[in-house]
Structure formats: structure tokens, C-alpha cells
């Protein structure tokens, strides 16, 4: 299962706290195609605020993160981290 660092959990909670959202809201991760700045396409992970988990989503305990079923498999051995700076929050996925 995807692991989340304390920094990522804090960043997610802060992002959700500044918005008026339902109590069940969280961050939903889904796999899908992406387009790089050079126009090339590849596979990526999309992050969005969701009012609640969708049917079949895995829900992580450390922070309100919802994983689409096939995305949960894709990220099974990954670590989600975050770095907060004056420019904003940058999330990264890396190997555990």
C-alpha cells in the first residue's frame, strides 16, 4: 500500500483545512495519461480534492487519501512525500 510521509500528511491536511469541505473530503489519486511540456505523452498520477471516496477506493489511514483500485496497485510500493515552500506545495512519489 502507498505510504505517506508525515510531511505529506501535514500538507494534505492543511490543503483540506483551508477549504470549506465535507468532513469526508480528501485527496483522490488516479492513474491516467499526462502530457509533458514538450508535447510527449506518458503515464502519470493525478491528484484532486474529492468530497468523499468513490465506491471501490482504498482509503489510507494516515491522511484522507483515496486511491482508485487500479491506482492503489500501481502505487503499492511507493512513498508520497511533500515539500512546502513559498512557491507552494510540491508532492513527489518515489520508491519505498
Amino acid at each position: 500500500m502507498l505510504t505517506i510521509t508525515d510531511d505529506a500528511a501535514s500538507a494534505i491536511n492543511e490543503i483540506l483545512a483551508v477549504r470549506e469541505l465535507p468532513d469526508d473530503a480528501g485527496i483522490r489519486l488516479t492513474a491516467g495519461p499526462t502530457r509533458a511540456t514538450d508535447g510527449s505523452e506518458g503515464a502519470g498520477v493525478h491528484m484532486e480534492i474529492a468530497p468523499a471516496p468513490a465506491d471501490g477506493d482504498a482509503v489510507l489511514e494516515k491522511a484522507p487519501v483515496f486511491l482508485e483500485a487500479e491506482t492503489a496497485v500501481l502505487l503499492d510500493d511507493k512513498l508520497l512525500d511533500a515539500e512546502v515552500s513559498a512557491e507552494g506545495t510540491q508532492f513527489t512519489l518515489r520508491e519505498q
Side-chain angles (χ1 to χ4, degrees):
M1 181 66 70
L2 174 69
T3 302
I4 301 176
T5 66
D6 290 340
D7 290 339
S10 293
I12 289 167
N13 288 324
E14 286 180 32
I15 289 168
L16 296 173
V18 298
R19 293 169 171 78
E20 293 183 26
L21 299 168
D23 290 340
D24 293 337
I27 300 293
R28 187 161 193 260
L29 301 179
T30 57
T34 60
R35 185 176 304 270
T37 55
D38 67 0
S40 64
E41 292 187 12
V45 175
H46 302 275
M47 177 181 277
E48 65 183 351
I49 295 175
D55 288 340
D57 279 357
V59 179
L60 303 183
E61 293 181 22
K62 190 169 189 174
V65 174
F66 316 138
L67 299 169
E68 179 184 47
E70 60 187 61
T71 304
V73 172
L74 176 70
L75 301 179
D76 186 52
D77 60 346
K78 302 292 186 259
L79 176 73
L80 179 65
D81 196 9
E83 184 176 322
V84 179
S85 69
E87 290 81 38
T89 302
Q90 177 72 39
F91 288 95
T92 56
L93 286 169
R94 58 179 189 241
E95 300 293 324
Q96 289 188 32

